[in-house]
Amino acid sequence: MTEPSLPELLHAAVTAVGGTERPGQVTMAEAVEQAIDDGSHLLVQAGTGTGKSLGYLVPALAHGERVVVATATLALQRQLVERDLPRTVDALHPLLRRRPDFAMLKGRSNYLCLHRLREGMPQDEEEGLFDQFEAAAPTSKLGQDLVRLRDWSDETETGDRDDLTPGVSDRAWSQISVSSRECLGASKCAYGAECFAEMARERAKLADVIVTNHALLAIDAIEGAPVVPQHEVLIVDEAHELVSRVTGVATGELTPGQVNRAVRRAAKLVNEKAADQLQTAAEGFERLMELALPGRLEEIPEDLGYALMALRDAARTVISAIGATRDKSVGDEDAVRKQALASVETVHDVAERITNGSEWDVVWYERHEPRGGGAYRYSGASLRVAPMSVSGLLREKLFTDRSVVLASATLKLGGDFNGVGASLGLAPEGTEGEDIPRWKGLDVGSPFDYGKQGILYVAKHLARPARDGDRGDMLTELTELIQAAGGRTLGLFSSMRAAQLAAEELRSRIPEFPILLQGEETLGELIKNFAADPKTCLFGTLSLWQGVDVPGASCQLVVMDKIPFPRPDDPLMSARQKAVEDAGGNGFMAVAATHAALLMAQGAGRLVRATGDRGVVAVLDQRLATARYGSYLKASMPDFWYTTDRNQVRRSLAAIDETARKAEGE
């Protein structure tokens, strides 16, 4: 019997999920198959509606090697595990004559911990463990959440937080889960044989396809301890998010509250001298954090350096002392010891990393203003350290000993893949040489006719936006656009403050159009309400630029208040920009413009989500039409019909609105 061809397999899978085969999907599947066959790497841009998950799953399953699929969002993980993979495996089974197994793998804190649930959790104020179920008032939200969790623990087969519907608060979940550092270990835990996290790892070890997230992939690369099982093919979906997710995992933080918590947890386990040394170091650190330090610390101030060294040395002493108590632990004290050790180790590691002062790290001080006003509390200050770049780490850890496919709707910025490739540690496409990963960029297009379905409008007549300046003309323009569109507006703002000001102003100007604001409800509720009422508008910032999928007439106008460059005082971005300039490159284009291009491509992608969608993306920033970098940013966005004619856009929006209202009335 001959082996089935890739087109046969793809047709079977697409039919099984009730989809439509797209030319771009076929092209993508063939390129993925080729990359796996010759051990090379592929960056593939597949527009919304291409069906990219089947475009990589089918050739990967057909190849027969172990595959890891890493995504950025929970929504896509669930789609893969609950819909795409089961249907695809069922469809391919008769053709492949084998049934590939698949499993999901997450970080340990995503799974319910039976030890903490049944034995209680360590507390800071007293020795031993306490029963969180008795401590919480039964009628309180926390108490109700904990009771739900206890009941759910008897029913769940996975212990996975995301399988609990409806969910519970972070506070409740933290009382029945542990981090990898806090875990006792399966061999030492009385519930090790039943452990949900361990069972998930065992399932992953046996699976042909493992679905995980970018963060776990980053932990696997950074910490050098294998968390994800060995595999021959790595597929990174939502790959435009990978660099920021890896950077987040590689970022360390120290706060006074965190340090004081470590002191309290350690004090009951070590001798008085070691506890006092850590307490004194913590007080010294806390005093310095009250001061108004500058943002980025290119050099650590002398007094802060001494405080960090004292903290590092005291933490090291306490870690040794806690280790010496291991053989003396009684009953459940091992859980208390593990939690204390985890807290102190984190303090030690971050303090040591900052005092070591690597030229590849960026250190900065942040104040976090309190929510809802009130007096400032210095405990809202933090000291952070992050890698200048993760490109070297990714090149070394990602692109060796396996074929890597990176897929997204937005990877081609300014007309090519080299910008994103450089952030991943890849040399320009086509570069040859020893130890240089071979890769190819491929844009398979989109099934949508962007030139006919959408308009890109730039409000060229508006004043150039100034940082934190009054933008009355922009608010007037936004008001008129919303009126022309009959609501139906997703407002993407460059800051939360700008979104709040716009929402407040427009609620008084056009009360007939309800305006939802990010932060006033959960994101899921906001999107649901936005989709339900065509007259409604939704305003917000970063997560809305990438996280909204509302096809149809409820979203026919997407507005960007201004080009979303990083703030000039962003410590990490400004450090990266300076590093590029010091090396002779164009730091603005390599960092700031690339950052803005990626967000604008994602934001513009919110408009057309289905073949029947029509609408306008309005950028209320003249620089997109007048600045030299404007063409780079426009080339990164969908190929909409372009105009700066405000009257024409209003007429178009009014016509689109009238068509939608007629359809809604039918």
Side-chain angles (χ1 to χ4, degrees), residues 338-384:
K338 268 297 246 185
Q339 187 181 60
L341 194 58
S343 293
V344 180
E345 282 176 342
T346 299
V347 169
H348 170 270
D349 292 352
V350 178
E352 182 173 57
R353 180 176 171 187
I354 296 174
T355 54
N356 283 347
S358 167
E359 62 177 306
W360 306 112
D361 271 342
V362 179
V363 180
W364 71 97
Y365 172 90
E366 280 185 3
R367 284 192 186 278
H368 308 292
E369 298 296 337
R371 294 181 181 176
Y376 178 75
R377 290 179 56 82
Y378 67 84
S379 60
S382 65
L383 199 59
R384 309 192 81 195

mmCIF file of all heavy atoms in Angstrom, residues 338-384:
data_model
loop_
_atom_site.group_PDB
_atom_site.id
_atom_site.type_symbol
_atom_site.label_atom_id
_atom_site.label_comp_id
_atom_site.label_asym_id
_atom_site.label_seq_id
_atom_site.Cartn_x
_atom_site.Cartn_y
_atom_site.Cartn_z
ATOM 1 N N LYS A 338 10.578 23.930 52.306
ATOM 2 C CA LYS A 338 10.688 24.095 50.863
ATOM 3 C C LYS A 338 10.212 25.475 50.420
ATOM 4 O O LYS A 338 10.819 26.117 49.564
ATOM 5 C CB LYS A 338 9.853 23.029 50.145
ATOM 6 C CG LYS A 338 10.604 21.776 49.799
ATOM 7 C CD LYS A 338 11.734 22.038 48.838
ATOM 8 C CE LYS A 338 11.545 21.399 47.500
ATOM 9 N NZ LYS A 338 12.705 21.576 46.615
ATOM 10 N N GLN A 339 9.113 25.936 51.012
ATOM 11 C CA GLN A 339 8.611 27.251 50.630
ATOM 12 C C GLN A 339 9.582 28.350 51.060
ATOM 13 O O GLN A 339 9.851 29.289 50.298
ATOM 14 C CB GLN A 339 7.236 27.519 51.250
ATOM 15 C CG GLN A 339 6.620 28.823 50.734
ATOM 16 C CD GLN A 339 5.274 29.123 51.341
ATOM 17 O OE1 GLN A 339 5.167 29.268 52.556
ATOM 18 N NE2 GLN A 339 4.255 29.226 50.518
ATOM 19 N N ALA A 340 10.131 28.233 52.265
ATOM 20 C CA ALA A 340 11.099 29.224 52.733
ATOM 21 C C ALA A 340 12.338 29.224 51.850
ATOM 22 O O ALA A 340 12.860 30.278 51.467
ATOM 23 C CB ALA A 340 11.479 28.932 54.185
ATOM 24 N N LEU A 341 12.806 28.022 51.520
ATOM 25 C CA LEU A 341 13.994 27.897 50.674
ATOM 26 C C LEU A 341 13.756 28.533 49.306
ATOM 27 O O LEU A 341 14.620 29.242 48.778
ATOM 28 C CB LEU A 341 14.354 26.419 50.519
ATOM 29 C CG LEU A 341 15.739 26.080 49.964
ATOM 30 C CD1 LEU A 341 16.823 26.676 50.827
ATOM 31 C CD2 LEU A 341 15.911 24.570 49.865
ATOM 32 N N ALA A 342 12.590 28.302 48.730
ATOM 33 C CA ALA A 342 12.264 28.885 47.421
ATOM 34 C C ALA A 342 12.300 30.407 47.481
ATOM 35 O O ALA A 342 12.848 31.066 46.588
ATOM 36 C CB ALA A 342 10.888 28.406 46.965
ATOM 37 N N SER A 343 11.733 30.987 48.538
ATOM 38 C CA SER A 343 11.705 32.448 48.679
ATOM 39 C C SER A 343 13.108 33.019 48.815
ATOM 40 O O SER A 343 13.461 34.010 48.170
ATOM 41 C CB SER A 343 10.874 32.843 49.902
ATOM 42 O OG SER A 343 9.524 32.528 49.719
ATOM 43 N N VAL A 344 13.925 32.400 49.661
ATOM 44 C CA VAL A 344 15.267 32.931 49.922
ATOM 45 C C VAL A 344 16.171 32.722 48.707
ATOM 46 O O VAL A 344 16.998 33.576 48.382
ATOM 47 C CB VAL A 344 15.868 32.282 51.186
ATOM 48 C CG1 VAL A 344 17.271 32.828 51.456
ATOM 49 C CG2 VAL A 344 14.981 32.549 52.392
ATOM 50 N N GLU A 345 16.019 31.597 48.023
ATOM 51 C CA GLU A 345 16.829 31.349 46.825
ATOM 52 C C GLU A 345 16.545 32.383 45.741
ATOM 53 O O GLU A 345 17.464 32.840 45.044
ATOM 54 C CB GLU A 345 16.562 29.939 46.291
ATOM 55 C CG GLU A 345 17.268 28.853 47.074
ATOM 56 C CD GLU A 345 16.913 27.456 46.581
ATOM 57 O OE1 GLU A 345 15.888 27.304 45.877
ATOM 58 O OE2 GLU A 345 17.661 26.516 46.911
ATOM 59 N N THR A 346 15.281 32.767 45.591
ATOM 60 C CA THR A 346 14.941 33.780 44.592
ATOM 61 C C THR A 346 15.609 35.107 44.932
ATOM 62 O O THR A 346 16.184 35.769 44.062
ATOM 63 C CB THR A 346 13.412 33.967 44.512
ATOM 64 O OG1 THR A 346 12.820 32.728 44.115
ATOM 65 C CG2 THR A 346 13.038 35.051 43.519
ATOM 66 N N VAL A 347 15.545 35.502 46.203
ATOM 67 C CA VAL A 347 16.203 36.739 46.646
ATOM 68 C C VAL A 347 17.706 36.663 46.379
ATOM 69 O O VAL A 347 18.316 37.596 45.837
ATOM 70 C CB VAL A 347 15.929 36.992 48.142
ATOM 71 C CG1 VAL A 347 16.805 38.117 48.681
ATOM 72 C CG2 VAL A 347 14.452 37.311 48.367
ATOM 73 N N HIS A 348 18.321 35.544 46.740
ATOM 74 C CA HIS A 348 19.763 35.376 46.541
ATOM 75 C C HIS A 348 20.128 35.464 45.063
ATOM 76 O O HIS A 348 21.066 36.177 44.673
ATOM 77 C CB HIS A 348 20.211 34.020 47.100
ATOM 78 C CG HIS A 348 21.620 33.669 46.719
ATOM 79 N ND1 HIS A 348 21.932 32.972 45.568
ATOM 80 C CD2 HIS A 348 22.809 33.943 47.322
ATOM 81 C CE1 HIS A 348 23.243 32.836 45.475
ATOM 82 N NE2 HIS A 348 23.795 33.402 46.530
ATOM 83 N N ASP A 349 19.374 34.761 44.216
ATOM 84 C CA ASP A 349 19.732 34.679 42.801
ATOM 85 C C ASP A 349 19.636 36.038 42.113
ATOM 86 O O ASP A 349 20.504 36.406 41.310
ATOM 87 C CB ASP A 349 18.835 33.665 42.091
ATOM 88 C CG ASP A 349 19.098 32.232 42.554
ATOM 89 O OD1 ASP A 349 20.080 32.020 43.303
ATOM 90 O OD2 ASP A 349 18.316 31.335 42.181
ATOM 91 N N VAL A 350 18.578 36.788 42.414
ATOM 92 C CA VAL A 350 18.417 38.094 41.767
ATOM 93 C C VAL A 350 19.453 39.083 42.298
ATOM 94 O O VAL A 350 20.057 39.834 41.523
ATOM 95 C CB VAL A 350 16.982 38.628 41.956
ATOM 96 C CG1 VAL A 350 16.843 40.013 41.314
ATOM 97 C CG2 VAL A 350 15.967 37.673 41.352
ATOM 98 N N ALA A 351 19.679 39.083 43.622
ATOM 99 C CA ALA A 351 20.687 39.988 44.200
ATOM 100 C C ALA A 351 22.071 39.684 43.632
ATOM 101 O O ALA A 351 22.841 40.595 43.296
ATOM 102 C CB ALA A 351 20.685 39.869 45.723
ATOM 103 N N GLU A 352 22.393 38.407 43.498
ATOM 104 C CA GLU A 352 23.700 38.028 42.956
ATOM 105 C C GLU A 352 23.812 38.429 41.488
ATOM 106 O O GLU A 352 24.858 38.933 41.049
ATOM 107 C CB GLU A 352 23.902 36.519 43.100
ATOM 108 C CG GLU A 352 25.273 36.058 42.603
ATOM 109 C CD GLU A 352 25.533 34.599 42.898
ATOM 110 O OE1 GLU A 352 24.734 33.758 42.470
ATOM 111 O OE2 GLU A 352 26.549 34.322 43.556
ATOM 112 N N ARG A 353 22.749 38.234 40.733
ATOM 113 C CA ARG A 353 22.783 38.585 39.304
ATOM 114 C C ARG A 353 23.028 40.085 39.115
ATOM 115 O O ARG A 353 23.807 40.496 38.260
ATOM 116 C CB ARG A 353 21.459 38.175 38.657
ATOM 117 C CG ARG A 353 21.372 38.481 37.164
ATOM 118 C CD ARG A 353 20.057 37.954 36.610
ATOM 119 N NE ARG A 353 19.815 38.392 35.250
ATOM 120 C CZ ARG A 353 18.682 38.181 34.593
ATOM 121 N NH1 ARG A 353 17.685 37.520 35.176
ATOM 122 N NH2 ARG A 353 18.531 38.623 33.353
ATOM 123 N N ILE A 354 22.381 40.901 39.946
ATOM 124 C CA ILE A 354 22.557 42.353 39.810
ATOM 125 C C ILE A 354 23.950 42.779 40.258
ATOM 126 O O ILE A 354 24.607 43.592 39.600
ATOM 127 C CB ILE A 354 21.459 43.105 40.606
ATOM 128 C CG1 ILE A 354 20.080 42.795 40.014
ATOM 129 C CG2 ILE A 354 21.721 44.610 40.580
ATOM 130 C CD1 ILE A 354 18.918 43.365 40.806
ATOM 131 N N THR A 355 24.432 42.224 41.361
ATOM 132 C CA THR A 355 25.763 42.612 41.846
ATOM 133 C C THR A 355 26.870 42.134 40.912
ATOM 134 O O THR A 355 27.917 42.771 40.806
ATOM 135 C CB THR A 355 26.022 42.074 43.268
ATOM 136 O OG1 THR A 355 25.805 40.651 43.284
ATOM 137 C CG2 THR A 355 25.106 42.725 44.285
ATOM 138 N N ASN A 356 26.630 41.039 40.204
ATOM 139 C CA ASN A 356 27.631 40.564 39.240
ATOM 140 C C ASN A 356 27.794 41.529 38.064
ATOM 141 O O ASN A 356 28.862 41.589 37.446
ATOM 142 C CB ASN A 356 27.262 39.176 38.713
ATOM 143 C CG ASN A 356 27.559 38.077 39.712
ATOM 144 O OD1 ASN A 356 28.262 38.296 40.701
ATOM 145 N ND2 ASN A 356 27.035 36.894 39.467
ATOM 146 N N GLY A 357 26.711 42.261 37.755
ATOM 147 C CA GLY A 357 26.794 43.324 36.769
ATOM 148 C C GLY A 357 27.202 42.904 35.373
ATOM 149 O O GLY A 357 28.128 43.475 34.799
ATOM 150 N N SER A 358 26.515 41.941 34.789
ATOM 151 C CA SER A 358 26.832 41.524 33.429
ATOM 152 C C SER A 358 26.533 42.643 32.436
ATOM 153 O O SER A 358 25.518 43.343 32.547
ATOM 154 C CB SER A 358 26.005 40.285 33.051
ATOM 155 O OG SER A 358 26.064 40.047 31.661
ATOM 156 N N GLU A 359 27.399 42.809 31.455
ATOM 157 C CA GLU A 359 27.171 43.821 30.418
ATOM 158 C C GLU A 359 25.976 43.451 29.545
ATOM 159 O O GLU A 359 25.470 44.284 28.782
ATOM 160 C CB GLU A 359 28.416 43.982 29.543
ATOM 161 C CG GLU A 359 28.803 42.718 28.775
ATOM 162 C CD GLU A 359 30.000 42.938 27.867
ATOM 163 O OE1 GLU A 359 29.950 43.876 27.048
ATOM 164 O OE2 GLU A 359 30.968 42.158 27.981
ATOM 165 N N TRP A 360 25.538 42.213 29.628
ATOM 166 C CA TRP A 360 24.404 41.759 28.822
ATOM 167 C C TRP A 360 23.081 41.920 29.549
ATOM 168 O O TRP A 360 22.031 41.547 29.018
ATOM 169 C CB TRP A 360 24.607 40.301 28.409
ATOM 170 C CG TRP A 360 25.913 40.067 27.717
ATOM 171 C CD1 TRP A 360 26.982 39.356 28.173
ATOM 172 C CD2 TRP A 360 26.306 40.584 26.434
ATOM 173 N NE1 TRP A 360 28.008 39.387 27.276
ATOM 174 C CE2 TRP A 360 27.631 40.134 26.184
ATOM 175 C CE3 TRP A 360 25.680 41.382 25.477
ATOM 176 C CZ2 TRP A 360 28.316 40.462 25.032
ATOM 177 C CZ3 TRP A 360 26.370 41.707 24.322
ATOM 178 C CH2 TRP A 360 27.665 41.243 24.110
ATOM 179 N N ASP A 361 23.112 42.437 30.778
ATOM 180 C CA ASP A 361 21.889 42.649 31.547
ATOM 181 C C ASP A 361 21.556 44.139 31.642
ATOM 182 O O ASP A 361 22.450 44.992 31.629
ATOM 183 C CB ASP A 361 22.035 42.098 32.969
ATOM 184 C CG ASP A 361 21.624 40.630 33.063
ATOM 185 O OD1 ASP A 361 20.930 40.145 32.155
ATOM 186 O OD2 ASP A 361 21.995 39.976 34.053
ATOM 187 N N VAL A 362 20.268 44.436 31.765
ATOM 188 C CA VAL A 362 19.784 45.798 32.002
ATOM 189 C C VAL A 362 19.113 45.797 33.374
ATOM 190 O O VAL A 362 18.272 44.943 33.658
ATOM 191 C CB VAL A 362 18.758 46.219 30.926
ATOM 192 C CG1 VAL A 362 18.247 47.628 31.197
ATOM 193 C CG2 VAL A 362 19.384 46.124 29.541
ATOM 194 N N VAL A 363 19.514 46.746 34.226
ATOM 195 C CA VAL A 363 18.949 46.850 35.575
ATOM 196 C C VAL A 363 18.200 48.177 35.677
ATOM 197 O O VAL A 363 18.699 49.210 35.212
ATOM 198 C CB VAL A 363 20.063 46.796 36.649
ATOM 199 C CG1 VAL A 363 19.459 46.895 38.046
ATOM 200 C CG2 VAL A 363 20.885 45.521 36.511
ATOM 201 N N TRP A 364 17.026 48.150 36.264
ATOM 202 C CA TRP A 364 16.301 49.405 36.449
ATOM 203 C C TRP A 364 15.421 49.346 37.691
ATOM 204 O O TRP A 364 15.139 48.290 38.235
ATOM 205 C CB TRP A 364 15.484 49.759 35.209
ATOM 206 C CG TRP A 364 14.280 48.934 34.915
ATOM 207 C CD1 TRP A 364 12.990 49.212 35.233
ATOM 208 C CD2 TRP A 364 14.226 47.675 34.186
ATOM 209 N NE1 TRP A 364 12.149 48.232 34.771
ATOM 210 C CE2 TRP A 364 12.871 47.291 34.118
ATOM 211 C CE3 TRP A 364 15.199 46.870 33.594
ATOM 212 C CZ2 TRP A 364 12.470 46.110 33.497
ATOM 213 C CZ3 TRP A 364 14.796 45.703 32.970
ATOM 214 C CH2 TRP A 364 13.449 45.339 32.927
ATOM 215 N N TYR A 365 15.029 50.551 38.111
ATOM 216 C CA TYR A 365 14.202 50.742 39.304
ATOM 217 C C TYR A 365 12.844 51.259 38.852
ATOM 218 O O TYR A 365 12.760 52.136 37.997
ATOM 219 C CB TYR A 365 14.883 51.765 40.216
ATOM 220 C CG TYR A 365 14.079 52.220 41.409
ATOM 221 C CD1 TYR A 365 14.165 51.550 42.628
ATOM 222 C CD2 TYR A 365 13.260 53.343 41.331
ATOM 223 C CE1 TYR A 365 13.446 51.990 43.728
ATOM 224 C CE2 TYR A 365 12.536 53.781 42.425
ATOM 225 C CZ TYR A 365 12.628 53.097 43.615
ATOM 226 O OH TYR A 365 11.909 53.533 44.702
ATOM 227 N N GLU A 366 11.782 50.691 39.395
ATOM 228 C CA GLU A 366 10.424 51.108 39.030
ATOM 229 C C GLU A 366 9.620 51.446 40.266
ATOM 230 O O GLU A 366 9.740 50.779 41.298
ATOM 231 C CB GLU A 366 9.682 49.972 38.300
ATOM 232 C CG GLU A 366 10.018 49.808 36.851
ATOM 233 C CD GLU A 366 9.147 48.751 36.178
ATOM 234 O OE1 GLU A 366 8.250 48.207 36.865
ATOM 235 O OE2 GLU A 366 9.377 48.463 35.003
ATOM 236 N N ARG A 367 8.796 52.481 40.152
ATOM 237 C CA ARG A 367 7.768 52.737 41.165
ATOM 238 C C ARG A 367 6.420 52.360 40.564
ATOM 239 O O ARG A 367 6.136 52.705 39.418
ATOM 240 C CB ARG A 367 7.744 54.211 41.570
ATOM 241 C CG ARG A 367 8.872 54.633 42.492
ATOM 242 C CD ARG A 367 8.562 56.009 43.057
ATOM 243 N NE ARG A 367 9.651 56.552 43.828
ATOM 244 C CZ ARG A 367 9.911 56.261 45.100
ATOM 245 N NH1 ARG A 367 9.153 55.378 45.722
ATOM 246 N NH2 ARG A 367 10.913 56.830 45.740
ATOM 247 N N HIS A 368 5.615 51.671 41.336
ATOM 248 C CA HIS A 368 4.287 51.271 40.866
ATOM 249 C C HIS A 368 3.265 52.084 41.639
ATOM 250 O O HIS A 368 3.066 51.861 42.835
ATOM 251 C CB HIS A 368 4.064 49.776 41.081
ATOM 252 C CG HIS A 368 5.175 48.939 40.512
ATOM 253 N ND1 HIS A 368 5.398 48.844 39.162
ATOM 254 C CD2 HIS A 368 6.147 48.199 41.108
ATOM 255 C CE1 HIS A 368 6.442 48.064 38.940
ATOM 256 N NE2 HIS A 368 6.909 47.669 40.106
ATOM 257 N N GLU A 369 2.659 53.040 40.943
ATOM 258 C CA GLU A 369 1.700 53.911 41.616
ATOM 259 C C GLU A 369 0.504 53.101 42.101
ATOM 260 O O GLU A 369 0.066 52.161 41.433
ATOM 261 C CB GLU A 369 1.215 55.004 40.656
ATOM 262 C CG GLU A 369 2.328 55.922 40.178
ATOM 263 C CD GLU A 369 2.946 56.727 41.297
ATOM 264 O OE1 GLU A 369 2.274 56.922 42.331
ATOM 265 O OE2 GLU A 369 4.100 57.159 41.151
ATOM 266 N N PRO A 370 -0.028 53.466 43.284
ATOM 267 C CA PRO A 370 -1.168 52.708 43.823
ATOM 268 C C PRO A 370 -2.411 52.909 42.973
ATOM 269 O O PRO A 370 -2.597 53.964 42.370
ATOM 270 C CB PRO A 370 -1.368 53.313 45.227
ATOM 271 C CG PRO A 370 -0.818 54.702 45.108
ATOM 272 C CD PRO A 370 0.330 54.617 44.140
ATOM 273 N N ARG A 371 -3.240 51.883 42.895
ATOM 274 C CA ARG A 371 -4.496 51.998 42.164
ATOM 275 C C ARG A 371 -5.501 52.780 42.995
ATOM 276 O O ARG A 371 -5.574 52.629 44.196
ATOM 277 C CB ARG A 371 -5.057 50.612 41.840
ATOM 278 C CG ARG A 371 -4.197 49.842 40.866
ATOM 279 C CD ARG A 371 -4.808 48.504 40.564
ATOM 280 N NE ARG A 371 -3.977 47.747 39.642
ATOM 281 C CZ ARG A 371 -4.224 46.513 39.268
ATOM 282 N NH1 ARG A 371 -5.289 45.896 39.732
ATOM 283 N NH2 ARG A 371 -3.424 45.886 38.424
ATOM 284 N N GLY A 372 -6.274 53.591 42.304
ATOM 285 C CA GLY A 372 -7.348 54.294 42.992
ATOM 286 C C GLY A 372 -6.873 55.432 43.852
ATOM 287 O O GLY A 372 -7.567 55.843 44.776
ATOM 288 N N GLY A 373 -5.698 55.997 43.587
ATOM 289 C CA GLY A 373 -5.219 57.140 44.344
ATOM 290 C C GLY A 373 -4.703 56.737 45.702
ATOM 291 O O GLY A 373 -4.383 55.591 45.968
ATOM 292 N N GLY A 374 -4.623 57.710 46.593
ATOM 293 C CA GLY A 374 -4.128 57.440 47.932
ATOM 294 C C GLY A 374 -2.641 57.700 48.037
ATOM 295 O O GLY A 374 -1.960 57.958 47.052
ATOM 296 N N ALA A 375 -2.143 57.640 49.256
ATOM 297 C CA ALA A 375 -0.726 57.919 49.490
ATOM 298 C C ALA A 375 0.137 56.847 48.846
ATOM 299 O O ALA A 375 -0.220 55.683 48.792
ATOM 300 C CB ALA A 375 -0.459 57.984 50.993
ATOM 301 N N TYR A 376 1.294 57.268 48.372
ATOM 302 C CA TYR A 376 2.210 56.319 47.737
ATOM 303 C C TYR A 376 2.864 55.437 48.793
ATOM 304 O O TYR A 376 3.268 55.902 49.855
ATOM 305 C CB TYR A 376 3.294 57.077 46.960
ATOM 306 C CG TYR A 376 4.275 56.130 46.346
ATOM 307 C CD1 TYR A 376 3.929 55.382 45.218
ATOM 308 C CD2 TYR A 376 5.498 55.904 46.942
ATOM 309 C CE1 TYR A 376 4.803 54.465 44.693
ATOM 310 C CE2 TYR A 376 6.378 54.986 46.417
ATOM 311 C CZ TYR A 376 6.032 54.273 45.295
ATOM 312 O OH TYR A 376 6.897 53.345 44.781
ATOM 313 N N ARG A 377 2.964 54.182 48.506
ATOM 314 C CA ARG A 377 3.652 53.248 49.397
ATOM 315 C C ARG A 377 4.898 52.745 48.689
ATOM 316 O O ARG A 377 4.836 52.238 47.579
ATOM 317 C CB ARG A 377 2.744 52.055 49.734
ATOM 318 C CG ARG A 377 1.573 52.412 50.624
ATOM 319 C CD ARG A 377 0.713 51.182 50.873
ATOM 320 N NE ARG A 377 1.476 50.086 51.437
ATOM 321 C CZ ARG A 377 1.779 49.962 52.728
ATOM 322 N NH1 ARG A 377 1.411 50.898 53.581
ATOM 323 N NH2 ARG A 377 2.466 48.912 53.146
ATOM 324 N N TYR A 378 6.055 52.867 49.354
ATOM 325 C CA TYR A 378 7.307 52.491 48.717
ATOM 326 C C TYR A 378 7.377 51.003 48.436
ATOM 327 O O TYR A 378 8.160 50.553 47.625
ATOM 328 C CB TYR A 378 8.510 52.923 49.558
ATOM 329 C CG TYR A 378 8.628 52.177 50.868
ATOM 330 C CD1 TYR A 378 9.247 50.924 50.916
ATOM 331 C CD2 TYR A 378 8.109 52.702 52.046
ATOM 332 C CE1 TYR A 378 9.343 50.223 52.108
ATOM 333 C CE2 TYR A 378 8.218 52.010 53.233
ATOM 334 C CZ TYR A 378 8.834 50.785 53.267
ATOM 335 O OH TYR A 378 8.933 50.100 54.438
ATOM 336 N N SER A 379 6.530 50.208 49.108
ATOM 337 C CA SER A 379 6.549 48.768 48.839
ATOM 338 C C SER A 379 6.146 48.486 47.399
ATOM 339 O O SER A 379 6.299 47.382 46.920
ATOM 340 C CB SER A 379 5.611 48.036 49.804
ATOM 341 O OG SER A 379 4.289 48.508 49.636
ATOM 342 N N GLY A 380 5.594 49.506 46.712
ATOM 343 C CA GLY A 380 5.281 49.358 45.310
ATOM 344 C C GLY A 380 6.474 49.568 44.412
ATOM 345 O O GLY A 380 6.320 49.637 43.202
ATOM 346 N N ALA A 381 7.669 49.718 44.988
ATOM 347 C CA ALA A 381 8.882 49.892 44.195
ATOM 348 C C ALA A 381 9.532 48.531 43.965
ATOM 349 O O ALA A 381 9.424 47.627 44.789
ATOM 350 C CB ALA A 381 9.856 50.816 44.916
ATOM 351 N N SER A 382 10.203 48.412 42.824
ATOM 352 C CA SER A 382 10.886 47.157 42.542
ATOM 353 C C SER A 382 12.186 47.419 41.804
ATOM 354 O O SER A 382 12.341 48.438 41.125
ATOM 355 C CB SER A 382 9.988 46.228 41.709
ATOM 356 O OG SER A 382 9.738 46.786 40.438
ATOM 357 N N LEU A 383 13.098 46.496 41.960
ATOM 358 C CA LEU A 383 14.364 46.504 41.243
ATOM 359 C C LEU A 383 14.304 45.333 40.279
ATOM 360 O O LEU A 383 14.025 44.204 40.686
ATOM 361 C CB LEU A 383 15.521 46.319 42.242
ATOM 362 C CG LEU A 383 16.916 46.741 41.794
ATOM 363 C CD1 LEU A 383 16.950 48.211 41.427
ATOM 364 C CD2 LEU A 383 17.917 46.441 42.904
ATOM 365 N N ARG A 384 14.551 45.601 38.982
ATOM 366 C CA ARG A 384 14.376 44.555 37.980
ATOM 367 C C ARG A 384 15.643 44.401 37.150
ATOM 368 O O ARG A 384 16.394 45.359 36.945
ATOM 369 C CB ARG A 384 13.187 44.870 37.068
ATOM 370 C CG ARG A 384 11.916 45.206 37.834
ATOM 371 C CD ARG A 384 10.706 45.233 36.937
ATOM 372 N NE ARG A 384 10.215 43.884 36.701
ATOM 373 C CZ ARG A 384 9.365 43.553 35.748
ATOM 374 N NH1 ARG A 384 8.925 44.465 34.909
ATOM 375 N NH2 ARG A 384 8.963 42.307 35.597
#
